[in-house]
Amino acid sequence: MATMRRDTDIAASKLSAVSCVSAYPSSAVTYHATNCDLPGWKHVRSGKVRDLYIPEDDTVDSAKRLLLVASDRISAYDFILPTPIPDKGAILTQMSRWWFQQLAPLVDSHIMSEADAAIPQVVRDRAVICHNLQMYPIECVVRGYLTGSGLVDYQETGQVCGHRLPAGLVEASRLEQPIFTPAAKANVGEHDENITFDQVAQRIGRSDAERLRDVSIAVYERARDIAARCGIILADTKFEFGYLPDSAGDVLATLVLGDEVLTPDSSRFWPADQWVEGRVTPSFDKQYVRDWLTSAESGWDRHSGEEPPELPDEVVEQTRARYIEAFEMLAGTKFQTAGSSVSTNNPTSAKTATPAKQADQSMEPVETLTPFENTNSQLKG
């Protein structure tokens, strides 16, 4: 399921928790509480964006399934902003569900689709019930284009996470082959640390590191090709993986894709018709928010330690529109809320009691995983 990476305990006092759901505007729904009263479930953790629940008769140690609720909170520069983005959590959840279906021939998903009926109605369009995985402590980042922190590292060293790249690359340069640029997960309020593949191998073992790398690149390539057909460039993205223990407590040798996947919060999506090498490309993500926060108009200094200001309505509306545009371009359907079903261009069935790959004779399944010793539960994150 979702990682409890940065999404670990957040002080409720820093978040607006007056109500679980409110209207904004008439066509949008905002969920920004950190602890809703959801029948049959009890709240155990909140992160920057997501709230985690377990069955009310379970304990943290015994829970086999989790309810993961995506709020409309938005973070930037390691701060949770005071202004939510209406429908953001629903968009992220529906987009992740769509992507998990597209990726089913390659890798198992943490979602327990057969349990959807148990999702409380008030959060039905922004929540999933999923397996409680043991998570790898690695952010599996794959880059197909040079931008962001990767570009900064390249300009300073000619390398990105140990990958020596050709000279002369610039902002938005397309790489000859996608590269695996992992990061070590950080605690709340701290930055993830970019590390090399060899450092990953030292932490989890070389065999497991190789499989995480190979599966990450394979998933990126499939997603890149799907996005390209929709007029979108997948510049880079982040995956998080885990595995399930069996009934005896032993580890099942199956790699499972958890957390959100291929959303504007975890990926850089660019409009293909606006990409120009050497220029910053507009993106379907919260860059609009970041740009406003660092502008003179906001009056905020990100290095001051002070809380960020409220976002103007225009910034909220434009950010929401970008998230919806990305979803609709990819899924080929209009975004809908209130638990409405989401049709797809390439529907697949994913209703299985345990994670299971979908049959697809045209694609080879990824190799199963021999896990390392790990106690990094999503609940213990």
Side-chain angles (χ1 to χ4, degrees):
M1 99 118 211
T3 80
M4 292 308 294
R5 46 179 177 103
R6 280 189 281 239
D7 289 349
T8 49
D9 298 314
I10 295 291
S13 62
K14 291 188 177 181
L15 301 173
S16 175
V18 176
S19 64
C20 287
V21 182
S22 59
Y24 174 103
S26 59
S27 62
V29 173
T30 301
Y31 169 101
H32 49 83
T34 59
N35 185 1
C36 277
D37 183 12
L38 301 178
W41 300 89
K42 60 184 176 184
H43 176 260
V44 291
R45 289 185 187 275
S46 286
K48 288 183 177 178
V49 174
R50 289 170 177 76
D51 301 323
L52 188 65
Y53 296 76
I54 61 175
E56 60 184 356
D57 57 350
D58 259 335
T59 66
V60 168
D61 291 330
S62 66
K64 301 298 183 185
R65 62 178 188 165
L66 312 172
L67 177 70
L68 179 67
V69 183
S71 77
D72 294 332
R73 300 189 295 269
I74 188 168
S75 65
Y77 303 114
D78 293 317
F79 286 91
I80 299 169
L81 305 186
T83 316
I85 305 298
D87 289 324
K88 174 174 174 282
I91 298 165
L92 297 182
T93 299
Q94 293 180 27
M95 186 178 290
S96 286
R97 281 182 178 271
W98 185 84
W99 274 115
F100 279 128
Q101 291 177 343
Q102 314 312 312
L103 301 174
L106 280 178
V107 66
D108 294 339
S109 158
H110 68 153
I111 293 179
M112 304 172 70
S113 296
E114 79 288 348
D116 278 355
I119 299 175
Q121 182 63 37
V122 70
V123 294
R124 185 168 296 277
D125 61 351
R126 61 178 61 246
V128 296
I129 293 175
C130 48
H131 294 277
N132 183 16
L133 303 178
Q134 298 291 318
M135 301 300 294
Y136 281 91
I138 302 296
E139 303 267 0
C140 294
V141 180
V142 182
R143 303 175 189 269
Y145 290 74
L146 194 59
T147 189
S149 64
L151 176 62
V152 172
D153 290 347
Y154 169 78
Q155 291 172 335
E156 292 176 352
T157 68
Q159 301 183 52
V160 181
C161 292
H163 294 273
R164 174 67 63 181
L165 299 178
L169 300 183
V170 295
E171 166 68 40
S173 287
R174 179 165 40 204
L175 305 178
E176 293 183 4
Q177 296 293 332
I179 57 175
F180 181 66
T181 59
K185 296 179 187 177
N187 295 322
V188 174
E190 299 177 1
H191 292 290
D192 292 339
E193 176 192 1
N194 289 344
I195 57 177
T196 65
F197 174 78
D198 286 340
Q199 289 174 306
V200 175
Q202 290 170 4
R203 294 173 185 232
I204 66 173
R206 182 160 293 274
S207 177
D208 292 336
E210 288 174 349
R211 291 182 177 183
L212 285 181
R213 177 196 61 197
D214 294 347
V215 173
S216 295
I217 290 176
V219 171
Y220 168 84
E221 290 177 334
R222 179 170 175 85
R224 175 200 61 195
D225 294 345
I226 291 172
R229 294 197 293 269
C230 303
I232 291 176
I233 290 172
L234 176 58
D236 54 44
T237 191
K238 178 267 300 177
F239 305 115
E240 299 197 33
F241 294 96
Y243 56 83
L244 282 171
D246 65 17
S247 58
D250 296 326
V251 169
L252 295 176
T254 303
L255 188 65
V256 182
L257 183 57
D259 197 60
E260 64 181 332
V261 62
L262 293 157
T263 71
D265 273 13
S266 66
S267 313
R268 280 190 178 90
F269 291 116
W270 294 340
D273 60 358
Q274 296 183 49
W275 171 72
V276 177
E277 187 175 22
R279 298 182 185 176
V280 174
T281 310
S283 56
F284 295 106
D285 60 17
K286 55 188 176 184
Q287 190 59 47
Y288 196 89
V289 170
R290 295 191 192 98
D291 290 346
W292 182 82
L293 286 172
T294 55
S295 70
E297 181 183 351
S298 77
W300 180 64
D301 179 359
R302 57 180 287 198
H303 302 294
S304 67
E306 298 179 357
E307 295 290 323
E310 293 277 354
L311 300 176
D313 287 347
E314 179 186 0
V315 174
V316 172
E317 292 163 5
Q318 290 296 322
T319 302
R320 179 177 181 269
R322 296 294 277 174
Y323 275 74
I324 291 175
E325 184 180 5
F327 171 81
E328 292 181 347
M329 287 181 69
L330 287 165
T333 188
K334 298 294 285 184
F335 169 70
Q336 296 176 313
T337 59
S340 54
S341 60
V342 180
S343 61
T344 71
N345 287 327
N346 183 22
T348 58
S349 174
K351 296 188 176 181
T352 53
T354 57
K357 302 179 185 70
Q358 304 302 312
D360 186 334
Q361 300 302 318
S362 66
M363 300 189 70
E364 292 294 325
V366 297
E367 203 173 359
T368 55
L369 180 71
T370 303
F372 68 107
E373 292 299 319
N374 183 7
T375 58
N376 183 30
S377 168
Q378 296 171 89
L379 285 174
K380 297 177 181 177

